[in-house]
Amino acid sequence: MRRPSIHDSGVLAVLASNAVAPLGIFFLGWSTTVLFGVFIAEIAVVLFWSMVKMPFAAKRPNNALGERGLFGPLQTKRGSTSLPGPLPPVYLRNVPSVVIAAFLLAPLELAVALGVFGLADPTITDETGGRILVGGLSVFIGHGIETAAHYFGNGEYRNHSPRSLLLLPFKQLFAVAILLFAAIPFEESPGSDAFVAVVVAGKFLYDLRTLQLEHDDDKRGIFYRLYGSEETEILPVPVSEPTGEPVHCDRTNRWVAVADALYRGVRYTFTSVVLLFYAIAAALALFGGDLVVVLIPITVAGVFAGVKAISRYLRYGTVEYRCYGDVLVVYDTLLDEPQARLERGAVTDLTITTDAVDRLFGTETMAFDTDEDDSPDVQLTVPDPAEINGDDANENHPLTYPHVENPEAVADAFGVAWRLTSESDERR
């Protein structure tokens, strides 16, 4: 007899957890309230285990990642941090996805699900509450076994990005809405056998279809076309670093990097939708609001500024620029991983600029331009997995080195000092 594999154990665990509600209905006499309560518990369970998986996802989303946005600088990070024990490494670039899921997506989905639960006019007693707890615990254990056996034990974390892990919660949210629509004809008798049969059958078919698609090599359903799947995500490749010692190393002064991060954080709150919180605070103060109430929106804006500052510092404050003659490498000393490279022959222009931080500390910002097109392709649907371009880690993208104390030394070591001279002549 064949011994069940780790992969089979994970699938069996999910099937067992999905069978909790039907078994409770047909053999334990669960009411409609218990049925819906267990469904809501399952949504919370899937969200929880999805967030547990996210830090370890090795792939990155196929959509373009840039410097703009609250988490943009952090999401471009390459490299991982090893953990003690059997757990795989965690990726710093996945932290923003966990934060967004925990503080935005999960509350939104649970609010919608609880709204649907409320429409069923549930009657919660000690007995029904205990049954919901037992059902929810069974679902939690089942998905926990699947996470340990399939995601970690079978190495499935190598095939996912944080975004692809959120596909199942998004589908669940859609399924809850469909379930509500299908139950409208039974609105007058939500506890009827016909209503229960529709709910149980629909949920069971949905679970079977989800498992089928998870093991299908050609995932081209509507969700996979609009959102994508693990097959359409990109596995990052290492940035190639020349052998030998660099001829010149340079990095932004730590205190300058801190000042830059704080400046960018505050500036972000005035150049994005976060500015609305300042307007709210001003309106509250104008109409005589309490000081504590006025400070609330300002505090929220401050949180956004802090997050942006941390993201900016981790993008530029922890890297050094290593010049190997004709190759310039951006190397992250915190993650011990090259982040980008630029070949001298690909440089088409060198621009020197100064911002408020540069003027304060007497530094300059160097911007190396290339012919590489960084504009993302806009498509209505996600391409087929075979059409997804691989990681462009070693392509010559434009590169910015902020707050350089001695740009002439960097340009000379990289062999582009003549462009720096031309830039100086133009500024005269």
Side-chain angles (χ1 to χ4, degrees):
M1 181 177 179
R2 184 177 70 89
R3 182 180 178 181
S5 66
I6 294 179
H7 176 77
D8 293 335
S9 300
V11 174
L12 290 174
V14 174
L15 286 173
S17 65
N18 291 338
V20 169
L23 291 176
I25 288 291
F26 294 115
F27 296 101
L28 300 179
W30 283 3
S31 65
T32 306
T33 297
V34 177
L35 172 66
F36 273 108
V38 174
F39 285 170
I40 301 304
E42 182 177 359
I43 290 174
V45 165
V46 170
L47 284 167
F48 172 81
W49 286 116
S50 295
M51 287 186 285
V52 169
K53 296 174 181 179
M54 280 183 193
F56 307 93
K59 286 187 174 182
R60 68 170 178 83
N62 58 46
N63 54 308
L65 298 176
E67 295 297 320
R68 297 182 179 180
L70 185 62
F71 296 108
L74 187 56
Q75 289 177 306
T76 61
K77 276 293 184 182
R78 297 179 180 274
S80 60
T81 301
S82 298
L83 296 178
L87 289 174
V90 296
Y91 295 86
L92 184 62
R93 64 174 177 266
N94 294 344
V95 172
S97 298
V98 179
V99 173
I100 293 172
F103 293 97
L104 180 62
L105 299 180
L108 176 62
E109 183 168 347
L110 289 175
V112 173
L114 289 173
V116 174
F117 183 57
L119 291 177
D121 194 20
T123 301
I124 305 296
T125 63
D126 291 341
E127 182 181 5
T128 57
R131 290 178 175 180
I132 292 174
L133 181 61
V134 171
L137 182 61
S138 302
V139 172
F140 180 85
I141 293 173
H143 281 272
I145 294 174
E146 184 274 336
T147 298
H150 184 52
Y151 189 77
F152 291 113
N154 204 42
E156 188 64 18
Y157 59 87
R158 301 186 186 95
N159 301 324
H160 276 281
S161 75
R163 196 182 69 133
S164 66
L165 290 170
L166 287 176
L167 176 61
L168 182 57
F170 273 125
K171 290 175 63 179
Q172 277 191 331
L173 182 61
F174 183 79
V176 168
I178 292 295
L179 180 61
L180 177 63
F181 179 78
I184 289 177
F186 307 97
E187 184 177 3
E188 298 300 328
S189 54
S192 66
D193 293 339
F195 174 76
V196 172
V198 168
V199 171
V200 172
K203 177 65 168 57
F204 189 69
L205 290 174
Y206 167 80
D207 292 333
L208 287 179
R209 178 58 177 166
T210 299
L211 287 173
Q212 178 190 12
L213 288 174
E214 284 183 357
H215 300 88
D216 188 357
D217 294 331
D218 185 25
K219 302 177 181 179
R220 302 311 295 160
I222 184 171
F223 277 101
Y224 296 95
R225 288 186 180 276
L226 295 176
Y227 186 87
S229 64
E230 62 267 30
E231 282 78 11
T232 58
E233 303 298 76
I234 296 175
L235 183 63
V237 299
V239 174
S240 178
E241 187 175 17
T243 58
E245 293 296 322
V247 298
H248 181 78
C249 286
D250 201 59
R251 67 180 301 169
T252 302
N253 178 277
R254 179 175 299 177
W255 293 112
V256 177
V258 170
D260 168 75
L262 295 174
Y263 167 69
R264 294 286 177 169
V266 174
R267 179 182 173 183
Y268 174 78
T269 63
F270 288 98
T271 58
S272 66
V273 294
V274 181
L275 182 62
L276 178 63
F277 289 100
Y278 291 125
I280 294 174
L284 291 173
L286 182 63
F287 290 100
D290 187 76
L291 179 60
V292 175
V293 177
V294 173
L295 288 177
I296 290 176
I298 296 179
T299 302
V300 173
V303 171
F304 278 97
V307 172
K308 180 64 176 180
I310 293 173
S311 179
R312 173 79 177 185
Y313 182 82
L314 291 174
R315 174 66 177 87
Y316 289 105
T318 62
V319 301
E320 66 180 17
Y321 294 78
R322 298 178 175 180
C323 186
Y324 294 85
D326 59 346
V327 178
L328 184 64
V329 175
V330 183
Y331 193 91
D332 191 287
T333 57
L334 178 64
L335 296 174
D336 197 24
E337 182 79 15
Q339 301 296 304
R341 59 174 279 151
L342 178 62
E343 298 173 358
R344 180 173 58 203
V347 178
T348 60
D349 196 12
L350 172 58
T351 305
I352 303 296
T353 59
T354 56
D355 62 10
V357 176
D358 285 316
R359 291 188 290 272
L360 178 63
F361 291 95
T363 58
E364 295 179 299
T365 294
M366 306 177 70
F368 300 91
D369 198 11
T370 71
D371 288 330
E372 186 69 29
D373 185 11
D374 279 348
S375 59
D377 296 330
V378 178
Q379 294 178 290
L380 295 179
T381 61
V382 177
D384 290 327
E387 299 175 358
I388 295 291
N389 295 325
D391 191 10
D392 56 356
N394 292 292
E395 294 185 6
N396 291 296
H397 293 286
L399 190 150
T400 299
Y401 180 6
H403 315 308
V404 191
E405 294 182 358
N406 190 353
E408 290 81 7
V410 176
D412 184 61
F414 193 28
V416 293
W418 64 275
R419 294 188 180 277
L420 190 61
T421 303
S422 300
E423 172 69 19
S424 299
D425 293 339
E426 290 179 4
R427 285 190 291 173
R428 291 197 190 106

